[in-house]
């Protein structure tokens, strides 16, 4: 994992998300990385409508004393498809049972797509892009500025399902299923010339990052939060946390909803942390092994629309346009998430004014 170099920022990152319970954990992890300049947060419609995504991003940033970070608002709908949302997965407001204090700051007037363009121009060749929601905003930005891909240092996408069952249709993963046209355009735009091949964190690997109640106990302890609460599947539904640390309390309320959702869908009392895993990969790509592939997105199949097709054997022209993450050390992923977010949650409480832009 990266460390501060003489207290300086070592990476600049632009975060595009559909916050979302696991997007929330990813955002907290990015905030916890004091060696990272979080240039902006693009809100994209997906788990919940885009205005709710933006409100969640603003609320988490305000809770953590980081209202200096701009939140951008994307299109209300995908490029072509009608918007579908999934409040049953992420809760009526996208953050499970959490009731985040509303932020007093407004989103930036710069749209998510224009913010992508601005950020890649301001940090040309250095910016890491991370997308943990549908690719609508990034695809719109690339339509407006076809040179954008070549200005990114790295792009990490949470999305797709290659050799595993989809979570939205039998063959399609949520972020791609919401806006297949956007996903197709992004995969077509990267992986050739100066545009880096995106690292794709698909369900095949992200579903192995399964949070358990024990992880939440470790997280609360790392934050010196009290009481330490054990989320149990036998608890009454919707039991609210009374943790004295506000970040831990709201995270517990958000993640309990997610644990209940997975349990109700025969996954066990666990929570797939797709997005925080992608955030770790964005900042430390060496934690995954990858295989090159040409990724295409099915757009017209009656039964297969939104399917991500990986050509791993050079059967189709064009060559690889992606690197699919295929293996990682899941224990090390949780160690990093718990350590960083736990310490951050403790600092937010201890020194509320300390959360200022990294120097
Ligand atoms: O399929 C999982 C992905 O879809 C995650 O990013 C989750 O937040 C939803 O956006
Ligand atoms: Ca997401």
């Amino acid at each position: 994992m990266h460390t501060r170099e003489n207290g300086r920022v070592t990476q600049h990152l632009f975060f595009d998300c559909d916050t979302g319970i696991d997007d929330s954990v990813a955002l907290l992890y990015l905030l916890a990385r004091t060696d990272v300049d979080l240039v902006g947060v693009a809100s994209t419609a997906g788990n919940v409508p885009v205005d709710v995504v933006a409100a969640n991003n603003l609320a988490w940033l305000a809770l953590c004393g980081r209202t200096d970070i701009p939140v951008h608002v994307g299109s209300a709908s995908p490029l072509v498809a009608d918007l579908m949302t999934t409040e049953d997965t992420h809760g009526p407001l996208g953050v499970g049972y959490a009731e985040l204090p509303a932020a007093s700051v407004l989103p930036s007037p710069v749209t998510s797509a224009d913010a992508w363009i601005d950020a890649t121009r301001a940090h040309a060749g250095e910016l890491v892009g991370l997308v943990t929601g549908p690719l609508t905003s990034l695809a719109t930005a690339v339509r407006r500025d076809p040179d954008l891909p070549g200005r990114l240092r790295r792009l990490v996408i949470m999305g797709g399902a290659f050799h595993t069952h989809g979570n939205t249709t039998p063959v399609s993963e949520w972020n791609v299923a919401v806006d297949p046209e956007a996903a197709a355009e992004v995969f077509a735009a990267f992986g050739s010339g100066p545009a880096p091949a995106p690292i794709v964190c698909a369900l095949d690997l992200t579903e192995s990052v399964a949070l358990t109640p024990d992880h939440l106990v470790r997280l609360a302890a790392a934050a010196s939060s009290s009481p330490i609460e054990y989320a149990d599947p036998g608890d009454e539904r919707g039991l609210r946390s009374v943790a004295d640390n506000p970040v831990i309390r709201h995270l517990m309320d958000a993640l309990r909803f997610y644990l209940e959702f997975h349990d109700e869908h025969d996954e066990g009392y666990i929570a797939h942390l797709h997005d925080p895993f992608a955030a770790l990969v964005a900042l430390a790509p060496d934690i995954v092994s990858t295989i090159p592939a040409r990724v295409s997105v099915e757009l017209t199949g009656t039964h297969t629309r939104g399917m991500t097709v990986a050509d791993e054997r050079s059967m189709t022209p064009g060559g690889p346009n992606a690197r699919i993450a295929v293996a990682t050390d899941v224990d090390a992923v949780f160690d990093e998430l718990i350590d960083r977010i736990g310490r951050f949650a403790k600092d937010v409480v201890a020194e509320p004014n300390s959360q200022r832009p990294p120097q």
Side-chain angles (χ1 to χ4, degrees), residues 165-335:
H165 204 285
N167 63 1
T168 306
T169 76
V171 294
S172 187
E173 175 278 328
W174 174 260
N175 289 333
V176 176
V178 167
D179 197 341
E181 281 73 18
E185 291 186 20
V186 167
F187 281 113
F190 283 82
S192 60
I199 299 174
V200 184
C201 298
L203 297 183
D204 308 59
L205 189 53
T206 63
E207 288 185 343
S208 67
V209 186
L211 176 124
T212 66
D214 288 336
H215 291 127
L216 289 175
V217 166
R218 287 175 53 194
L219 179 62
S224 300
S225 180
S226 177
I228 302 285
E229 298 164 311
Y230 189 84
D232 187 286
D235 290 341
E236 65 175 289
R237 276 182 59 83
L239 181 67
R240 294 302 196 274
S241 168
V242 293
D244 60 3
N245 182 290
V247 173
I248 298 300
R249 183 167 65 253
H250 292 304
L251 257 186
M252 286 290 293
D253 288 345
L255 285 164
R256 179 182 288 274
F257 189 99
Y258 216 26
L259 290 165
E260 290 175 358
F261 171 82
H262 286 79
D263 200 24
E264 286 155 12
H265 290 77
D266 304 324
E267 301 266 9
Y269 198 66
I270 56 98
H272 292 145
L273 293 194
H274 311 279
D275 297 345
F277 173 61
L280 264 74
V281 174
L283 295 171
D286 297 344
I287 69 168
V288 291
S289 49
T290 64
I291 58 167
R294 183 155 198 88
V295 174
S296 306
V297 181
E298 177 58 53
L299 300 178
T300 59
T302 303
H303 307 290
T304 55
R305 175 168 159 81
M307 181 177 187
T308 43
V309 180
D311 174 4
E312 300 163 4
R313 301 183 182 175
S314 304
M315 293 177 169
T316 49
N321 64 349
R323 292 163 56 197
I324 299 173
V326 293
T328 196
D329 178 343
V330 172
D331 290 339
V333 166
F334 275 107
D335 289 348

Side-chain angles (χ1 to χ4, degrees), residues 20 95 99 107 111 130 144 184 188 240 262 279 344:
V95 285
E99 297 173 50
T111 66
L130 168 63
R144 287 184 194 156
R240 294 302 196 274
H262 286 79
F344 176 70

Side-chain angles (χ1 to χ4, degrees), residues 141-152:
V142 173
R143 282 182 171 184
R144 287 184 194 156
D145 183 350
D147 294 332
L148 184 156
R151 295 199 297 268
L152 275 172

